[in-house]
Amino acid sequence: MYLWIAVDLEDQLQEVREELVRVERLICSNDPALTLPLHTSLKISFEVDDKCANEVRSAVRQYLSALQSFQIEPERVESTGKLTWIRMKESRELSGIHGALDLIIERQFGVPQHVFDRDFIFHTTLFAATEPHKLEKIFNLPKLPELLTVRSFIIGSSRSGTAGTYSVDETITI
């Protein structure tokens, strides 16, 4: 099983969601852009044995539940090949959570740090388009909020670990 951990931003990015839905309809996209709430990942998807998945979730839940609310700052919208995302400004809080999750998962459950976790970019994916050139003329992202407040986290999972197969298992409100 593959697990994934993120900041839940869906309630604060409703205008962005509405624009994504509009664009998706215009380009008749088959890409799984909106299968999950809008979020900022905190830990790259990682594989764990099914037998210990609930223990991993419990350890992550315990850690995240003890955190205090904080703010993150959208930096800019970027397109990198097939992905279009909102890059979040790196912060002490985001980096600290990411590092702590890496340590918990590696030390307690023997899951090594993924190569992408070593140079992590905090971002909110908007599109994972197979034809990104279609987005150039029709994508009009609303003005992003200056600050977003981290009030809840998501723990999700997938059997295969492939895009479009993840679901939200639980939301942890702090």
Side-chain angles (χ1 to χ4, degrees), residues 67-109:
L67 297 175
Q68 298 292 316
S69 183
F70 62 95
Q71 293 185 315
I72 59 176
E73 186 177 346
E75 191 169 352
R76 65 184 172 272
V77 175
E78 296 179 335
S79 289
T80 58
K82 295 180 180 181
L83 292 176
T84 299
W85 65 34
I86 302 168
R87 179 188 283 257
M88 297 298 173
K89 193 173 269 188
E90 194 162 332
S91 69
R92 183 176 43 85
E93 293 89 355
L94 286 174
S95 296
I97 294 169
H98 176 77
L101 290 170
D102 271 346
L103 286 174
I104 289 167
I105 292 163
E106 186 167 6
R107 287 185 182 164
Q108 291 182 22
F109 303 101

Side-chain angles (χ1 to χ4, degrees), residues 136-151:
E136 291 173 6
K137 294 181 181 173
I138 58 172
F139 192 58
N140 299 309
L141 191 64
K143 186 173 181 341
L144 295 173
E146 288 185 29
L147 293 172
L148 298 163
T149 303
V150 175
R151 297 187 283 260

Side-chain angles (χ1 to χ4, degrees), residues 40-42 86-88 90 94-95 98 120-124:
T40 295
S41 292
L42 291 168
I86 302 168
R87 179 188 283 257
M88 297 298 173
E90 194 162 332
L94 286 174
S95 296
H98 176 77
F120 202 74
I121 297 172
F122 296 102
H123 67 279
T124 298

